[in-house]
Amino acid sequence: MDQTQPEDGKGHKRTRSAVKATRPRSSTKGPLDAADPLAPPPATSQPSTTIPPPSSSSTTTTTPAPTPPSPNPQFIPQPTPRMHPSHTPRATSPLPRSPALSPTPGTPRRPPPGSTAPFRPKDFSFLLRPEIFHPLTPLNIPPAFRNSTKQPPPETPLPELLEKGHFRAAAISAVQTLTGTGRTPQQPDPSDHVRIFDLLYTRWACLTLINSTDLAAQEVKALGDLNSAFYLSEDPTSGKTHHLVPWGLRVLNVRLQAIGFGDLRRAVMSYYELAREARVRLGEAMGEHDNSSRELWRERLEDLGVRVAGVLVEMGDVKGAGEHLRGLKVGDGGKMEMMRALLWLRLGDVDAARGCVMNGEGRGVTRGEKVVLALCDMADGEYEEAVAKWRELEEEEEGDEMVMVNLAVCLLYVGRMQEGRALLEGMVDAGRSSHTLLFNLTTMYELCTERARSLKVRLSEKVAAMEETNDGWEKTNADFKL
């Protein structure tokens, strides 16, 4: 014990080891050192992470060390503990990193408080890159449409393409305008978010209409997270925050991104995010007594509720979709009740579908209610009763394509297929060419004869010779089951 006592005593005199370090500091660099270790520290009010030894002289001088302090324990200076880099606060780093000095690309830099400098507009050039968009192959177009003289020239304006139903050409024209690769259109300015989002919505909506939803689902990933602060803007006059992306594109984005990422649960969560915003806007409109805005946001909120039910059906959660539909609070009658009734029919609950259109006095009297009731009879297998209802609706409004197609399907199920086929062919001769009409007619061709392919090709030539309409002139092979 007596021999080890001096060793313990030396442990308290740590200043002696500091006095011996009289040589200059070696030029080594650590993770927190600056470029020049011998350079004087920057003039800043924040302390440096490099703690000098307890000496009044500089670390670069070779002058003799000062006289050691008094051995009195209460005056012995304690060495300052070194800070490990992992425990060093951000504020004490020699290379401070501030979000204000390194903003996110595309994010406008805010002026200091009290400044009258305008905000820098946001940069959306990342949405104008040509590699985002996929080429559209014409191989899925029947030859009668590919070789038709009614194909629009490349310089046709985009509004005219949409008006005449050339959706594939409109999708191509929108991309040419976005990327600046077209002949006549000028590429929009990267800060013109209104023009850019309008073209993107046109592109992806047209892809959906021509059965190229999978391509739209891949391209829409370029938008990223629309809930991020980058897509928000603050009104300088009212101070309210609004979204730069239009509502229609935001709703379409939810559906497409869910398909692109292969996760339908993503759509449910995103619809609820939009519903939360719709409730806030609805409350603001009610507080301001803005009736038009209140009705707009109420309709959007109801529409989102039905869309959530539709996604649940696609996920196979029939029970959850049913409970969700029962909990929806929508107005009496109108479009939303029709949508709910159609969803109930898809779920297989015919009684619930009838309940959506039945009032307290019995069956509804509006045309929409009669359509739902006729569909309910078809779901129950009562095709004779359904035929009578469709005949009644045909007399009320002659030439209604939806009524005629459903009537032809009912005639098929009651054994009068030739009559149903003649009915559909009469609709085509009258200039109708919807996907439902063509698909059902080609199905009857397959059931009637073994020469179905030749009849399908002849039908495609007849449709290609029709006048352009805004419901889509150009068809795909899938429309004719080719």
Side-chain angles (χ1 to χ4, degrees):
M1 298 295 293
D2 295 339
Q3 295 177 357
T4 59
Q5 185 67 26
E7 296 296 333
D8 297 338
K10 291 181 180 180
H12 295 286
K13 298 180 181 181
R14 300 185 63 175
T15 55
R16 297 179 62 83
S17 61
V19 174
K20 293 179 181 180
T22 58
R23 69 181 182 85
R25 178 184 176 186
S26 59
S27 58
T28 59
K29 293 184 181 181
L32 298 180
D33 289 328
D36 186 3
L38 302 180
T44 175
S45 60
Q46 299 178 349
S48 174
T49 58
T50 304
I51 309 299
S55 174
S56 59
S57 61
S58 172
T59 59
T60 60
T61 183
T62 57
T63 56
T67 305
S70 173
N72 190 349
Q74 63 180 350
F75 294 104
I76 294 178
Q78 298 297 324
T80 306
R82 283 188 174 272
M83 303 180 67
H84 194 273
S86 62
H87 300 289
T88 305
R90 293 176 61 89
T92 61
S93 173
L95 300 175
R97 302 174 67 182
S98 172
L101 299 179
S102 57
T104 304
T107 305
R109 186 174 299 175
R110 277 186 173 274
S115 175
T116 58
F119 287 105
R120 187 181 64 183
K122 296 186 178 182
D123 184 11
F124 292 95
S125 59
F126 64 95
L127 296 175
L128 306 178
R129 295 180 290 118
E131 58 268 22
I132 296 176
F133 307 100
H134 296 74
L136 299 182
T137 174
L139 298 179
N140 61 341
I141 306 298
F145 290 90
R146 290 202 306 263
N147 304 327
S148 175
T149 57
K150 296 183 179 180
Q151 285 289 347
E155 62 274 5
T156 305
L158 182 58
E160 184 178 346
L161 294 175
L162 295 174
E163 181 181 357
K164 294 186 177 181
H166 296 280
F167 297 135
R168 190 175 68 92
I172 297 175
S173 177
V175 167
Q176 291 177 347
T177 305
L178 284 169
T179 58
T181 56
R183 296 185 179 181
T184 55
Q186 183 180 3
Q187 185 179 24
D189 188 87
S191 61
D192 188 3
H193 64 275
V194 177
R195 177 63 173 160
I196 293 174
F197 291 140
D198 179 66
L199 290 171
L200 289 176
Y201 180 79
T202 301
R203 163 73 175 184
W204 295 328
C206 288
L207 290 181
T208 304
L209 292 173
I210 62 175
N211 297 326
S212 298
T213 309
D214 53 341
L215 295 182
Q218 297 301 321
E219 296 178 359
V220 80
K221 294 180 181 179
L223 287 176
D225 184 13
L226 291 186
N227 294 326
S228 64
F230 176 73
Y231 291 102
L232 300 179
S233 178
E234 182 178 348
D235 191 350
T237 58
S238 62
K240 294 183 179 180
T241 302
H242 65 277
H243 211 286
L244 296 177
V245 183
W247 183 264
L249 179 55
R250 295 173 65 186
V251 175
L252 180 62
N253 169 76
V254 171
R255 171 69 176 167
L256 294 179
Q257 286 207 359
I259 297 176
F261 290 103
D263 186 8
L264 292 177
R265 295 174 298 177
R266 181 189 186 101
V268 176
M269 295 183 291
S270 300
Y271 281 142
Y272 270 99
E273 289 292 335
L274 293 178
R276 183 180 295 111
E277 178 184 347
R279 290 190 187 96
V280 173
R281 302 301 183 188
L282 178 60
E284 294 176 353
M286 295 177 66
E288 298 173 358
H289 304 287
D290 189 349
N291 295 330
S292 59
S293 180
R294 181 185 61 185
E295 292 301 323
L296 173 64
W297 287 107
R298 189 188 302 278
E299 291 178 1
R300 288 178 174 178
L301 185 59
E302 294 174 353
D303 175 70
L304 292 173
V306 177
R307 289 180 183 272
V308 170
V311 175
L312 293 176
V313 173
E314 294 185 27
M315 293 172 57
D317 189 2
V318 178
K319 183 178 179 181
E323 293 297 329
H324 176 76
L325 280 176
R326 292 186 181 93
L328 288 180
K329 297 180 180 179
V330 297
D332 297 333
K335 176 183 176 182
M336 299 309 302
E337 289 294 345
M338 291 284 295
M339 294 175 65
R340 290 182 64 188
L342 294 177
L343 270 175
W344 279 121
L345 286 175
R346 187 170 182 179
L347 290 174
D349 195 337
V350 181
D351 293 334
R354 286 193 176 98
C356 291
V357 296
M358 298 282 288
N359 52 33
E361 300 178 356
R363 294 193 174 186
V365 295
T366 64
R367 181 175 179 82
E369 292 171 346
K370 292 181 179 180
V371 169
V372 172
L373 294 174
L375 293 174
C376 290
D377 289 337
M378 294 177 66
D380 284 336
E382 303 293 340
Y383 295 107
E384 293 289 352
E385 296 183 8
V387 167
K389 289 184 174 62
W390 293 122
R391 290 291 188 188
E392 181 181 353
L393 289 169
E394 181 189 6
E395 295 175 357
E396 293 181 0
E397 185 174 350
E398 185 177 358
D400 191 327
E401 182 177 344
M402 183 269 300
V403 173
M404 303 295 285
V405 170
N406 283 282
L407 175 58
V409 172
C410 290
L411 292 174
L412 170 65
Y413 279 101
V414 298
R416 298 153 63 181
M417 184 169 52
Q418 294 298 332
E419 184 179 351
R421 171 183 169 178
L423 190 63
L424 295 180
E425 288 178 341
M427 296 292 295
V428 173
D429 294 337
R432 306 298 177 87
S433 61
S434 68
H435 169 75
T436 305
L437 171 61
L438 298 177
F439 189 87
N440 283 283
L441 180 55
T442 52
T443 301
M444 289 192 178
Y445 286 159
E446 295 174 347
L447 297 174
C448 290
T449 178
E450 296 179 356
R451 299 183 298 105
R453 179 169 181 81
S454 61
L455 293 177
K456 294 176 185 178
V457 173
R458 193 180 308 167
L459 177 62
S460 66
E461 295 174 352
K462 182 184 295 186
V463 175
M466 293 182 180
E467 295 294 332
E468 298 96 334
T469 57
N470 57 4
D471 60 348
W473 169 78
E474 191 176 66
K475 308 299 179 182
T476 62
N477 291 327
D479 293 320
F480 303 96
K481 302 180 69 173
L482 291 172

